[in-house]
Amino acid sequence: MTEPDAIHCDQFLPHPPAVVWQALTDPRLHARWWAAGDVRAEVGHRFTLDMGSWGEQPCEVIAVEPERLLSYRFAQATLDTTITWRLEPEGAGTRLFLEHAGFDLDSPLGRKALDGMGRGWPSVLEHLATVLAEPAG
C-alpha cells in the first residue's frame, strides 16, 4: 500500500548504477534530462533547481548512499516535498525507483502539484533514459 500523498515510479535503465548515479548527481547531466541546478551528493548541500515557469525551487540533500540512494527536500517553503531516488542493480542495468512524497493534500497547490507531477514524472524518466542512451561526447 502506498501513501496517497506520494508519487512512485520506476524505470529500468540499461546502464550500470554508476552511470545512472552520475546522471542524478552531475549538474551538467542533470540539466540535460530534467532541470538545471547545482545538485551534489552531499548531505546538507543546498541548491536550487530551475523549474522554468515554476521558478527556482530551493532544495536540500537529506540522505546519500553513493550509487544507491539520493534524497532531497524539494521546493522548500512552498510544496515542501521530498524526492528520493533509489538505484538497484538489475542484470547489466539499473532499476531506478523514484518516490516524490509529502504533498499537502489539504492545500490546492499540493493537490495540483501531486496531480501534475504524477503525470509528469514518467516523461521525465523517459527523458533520462533517452539522454543516457546518447553517445558520450
Side-chain angles (χ1 to χ4, degrees):
M1 172 101 183
T2 60
E3 313 134 59
D5 67 341
I7 298 163
H8 294 88
C9 299
D10 73 88
Q11 175 84 34
F12 176 77
L13 299 162
H15 307 278
V19 170
V20 177
W21 182 253
Q22 185 176 9
L24 295 176
T25 60
D26 177 291
R28 186 183 58 79
L29 272 173
H30 197 276
R32 289 181 52 211
W33 65 268
W34 185 31
D38 182 30
V39 63
R40 243 191 348 249
E42 180 182 301
V43 172
H45 174 62
R46 293 176 183 270
F47 61 101
T48 58
L49 289 177
D50 182 353
M51 303 307 298
S53 61
W54 293 285
E56 298 268 328
Q57 299 300 320
C59 303
E60 181 183 1
V61 178
I62 55 174
V64 174
E65 294 175 34
E67 298 183 13
R68 294 181 48 85
L69 182 125
L70 176 66
S71 185
Y72 46 87
R73 290 188 183 102
F74 176 77
Q76 292 176 286
T78 52
L79 284 180
D80 207 19
T81 56
T82 302
I83 295 174
T84 301
W85 302 98
R86 191 166 45 86
L87 293 72
E88 289 185 6
E90 185 174 305
T94 303
R95 177 73 52 184
L96 179 63
F97 295 92
L98 162 73
E99 179 187 73
H100 192 168
F103 292 91
D104 178 1
L105 299 182
D106 292 331
S107 85
L109 177 65
R111 284 192 173 282
K112 184 176 180 182
L114 177 65
D115 183 52
M117 292 175 156
R119 288 192 313 269
W121 273 121
S123 62
V124 170
L125 292 176
E126 283 295 325
H127 195 66
L128 170 60
T130 301
V131 167
L132 287 177
E134 293 170 357

